[in-house]
Amino acid sequence: MSDTKYDVIAIGNAIVDIIASCEDETIAKLGLNRGGMTLVDAEGADTLYAAMGQATEKSGGSAANTLAGLAQLGTRCAFIGQVAKDQFGEIFAHDIRAAGIDFDTPMRDSEPPTGRCLIFVTPDGERTMNTFLGAGQFLPAGALDEDVIASGAILYLEGYLWDPEEPRRAMRRAIDVARKAGRKVAFTASESFVIDRHGDDFRQMIEDGVIDILFVNEHELATLTGEADFEAGLAKVAGKVPVLVATRSAKGAVAVANGARAEVAAEPVDKVVDTTGAGDQFAAGFLAGHVAGEPLERCLRRGAIAASEVISHYGPRPETDMQALMAAKLA
């Protein structure tokens, strides 16, 4: 859009991912929620970190990961999220700016430290995430640059950050600013446990017409709608949001936009190494097509291609020239 400075502005957790391989026995021994995401406190994070083998550290956070993919695809992006003035905070700020994403949220002086996510990856590529939100839980509404929010074509929000009270207030304020500026609001449900806790909020936002683009996976859709049948769940939501995108892992993805439906298969992958960030990158690919005004099926293809790239290596962000990959796959 010609009157916008950014294509996508995201508000989300500012987190550094710590990723390590492990055997299935380790997941059982530690009593972890295999394949899911569990919130832990600082002590729990330290305990799990000590139990990890050799690890890699990469900046993460769901919405920030999506922006990293979008930036690689040539999309103009800005991120709003809270870090502390510490080593992990400096790592996060450096990485996101190096990716070409504007990030100007003031660092927090006091405790708690910058958030981190300890990710255990089993031999099948499944990731088990244990997240200490840290400073990200204390993003205040006062840290929002409302002129920046109003300058973005799409405001993208991650459900994970809806859990803590302070950033939830900030996100509600950001929604108001975006809507008054005539911008779109995109929302990713993030995880079923978030819907368990805040589903009434999400359902009310859907009923109120606040959400323009909703991203869910099939499990989140079932939790949101109470419908175990995928098609029944789609039918319950599709007429209430302009664009509904539902991913189904190896079964591909479906989108319904203003009554039109499109469906794509998952992109083939030689080997699934790590599913961390798959949903985040699917959203990146889809939104890149959406802001460019591409047809619904092509947006889904972009999402599937982006997801296939990220699950082929460790880490939640692309490691390939994504514009070249899209050009080759979509030719």
Side-chain angles (χ1 to χ4, degrees):
M1 296 175 66
S2 59
D3 64 334
T4 58
K5 181 178 180 181
Y6 299 104
D7 297 306
V8 181
I9 295 171
I11 302 179
N13 278 310
I15 288 175
V16 175
D17 289 336
I18 304 169
I19 307 168
S21 298
C22 75
E23 297 301 321
D24 290 302
E25 291 78 11
T26 301
I27 301 294
K29 181 180 178 181
L30 294 172
L32 303 181
N33 176 24
R34 191 183 194 282
M37 199 289 286
T38 304
L39 294 176
V40 298
D41 57 18
E43 183 180 356
D46 290 341
T47 299
L48 292 176
Y49 186 58
M52 277 183 149
Q54 186 174 355
T56 59
E57 295 173 357
K58 297 176 179 286
S59 293
S62 176
N65 292 338
T66 296
L67 288 191
L70 279 163
Q72 276 219 26
L73 292 168
T75 306
R76 303 167 301 163
C77 301
F79 179 73
I80 299 169
Q82 189 69 66
V83 297
K85 285 185 179 178
D86 55 25
Q87 181 181 0
F88 283 131
E90 294 292 346
I91 289 171
F92 181 91
H94 171 271
D95 286 355
I96 200 162
R97 290 169 183 153
I101 301 161
D102 286 353
F103 174 56
D104 297 313
T105 308
M107 289 185 171
R108 183 180 173 88
D109 285 315
S110 57
E111 291 288 325
T114 298
R116 54 195 185 273
C117 183
L118 299 104
I119 302 172
F120 293 78
V121 183
T122 42
D124 61 354
E126 186 66 83
R127 85 286 184 271
T128 298
M129 301 186 295
N130 304 272
T131 304
F132 167 58
L133 293 172
Q137 296 180 90
F138 299 96
L139 174 71
L144 302 178
D145 187 326
E146 296 188 0
D147 289 337
V148 168
I149 292 170
S151 74
I154 296 174
L155 173 67
Y156 180 76
L157 307 172
E158 67 168 270
Y160 284 136
L161 198 58
W162 202 263
D163 205 51
E165 181 180 351
E166 194 164 11
R168 183 165 65 248
R169 289 200 301 267
M171 294 169 89
R172 285 192 182 281
R173 176 58 189 161
I175 290 170
D176 289 342
V177 171
R179 301 294 297 183
K180 288 176 182 176
R183 309 309 188 190
K184 293 180 179 179
V185 175
F187 189 88
T188 176
S190 294
E191 190 85 24
S192 288
F193 91 88
V194 180
I195 301 171
D196 285 335
R197 291 168 64 90
H198 302 287
D200 287 345
D201 277 354
F202 301 162
R203 285 183 281 269
Q204 190 61 55
M205 288 194 294
I206 290 169
E207 292 291 337
D208 291 343
V210 169
I211 298 173
D212 299 288
I213 307 169
L214 176 64
F215 291 94
V216 290
N217 64 33
E218 60 182 331
H219 305 296
E220 294 156 4
L221 181 66
T223 305
L224 183 68
T225 63
E227 298 285 352
D229 180 74
F230 179 72
E231 293 296 332
L234 280 180
K236 202 164 186 177
V237 179
K240 299 177 180 178
V241 293
V243 181
L244 171 63
V245 182
T247 57
R248 308 187 75 188
S249 299
K251 292 178 282 187
V254 176
V256 182
N258 301 312
R261 174 174 172 145
E263 188 166 352
V264 298
E267 286 289 313
V269 179
D270 290 336
K271 181 182 178 182
V272 176
V273 175
D274 173 18
T275 57
T276 307
D280 302 334
Q281 295 312 319
F282 191 100
F286 184 93
L287 287 172
H290 183 79
V291 298
E294 294 186 350
L296 192 61
E297 184 175 353
R298 191 173 175 90
C299 293
L300 284 175
R301 280 288 320 278
R302 286 186 177 276
I305 292 165
S308 71
E309 189 281 336
V310 82
I311 66 176
S312 67
H313 58 76
Y314 281 117
R317 299 184 179 182
E319 294 183 355
T320 302
D321 182 333
M322 292 303 294
Q323 293 193 50
L325 179 63
M326 290 291 176
K329 293 276 191 176
L330 295 170

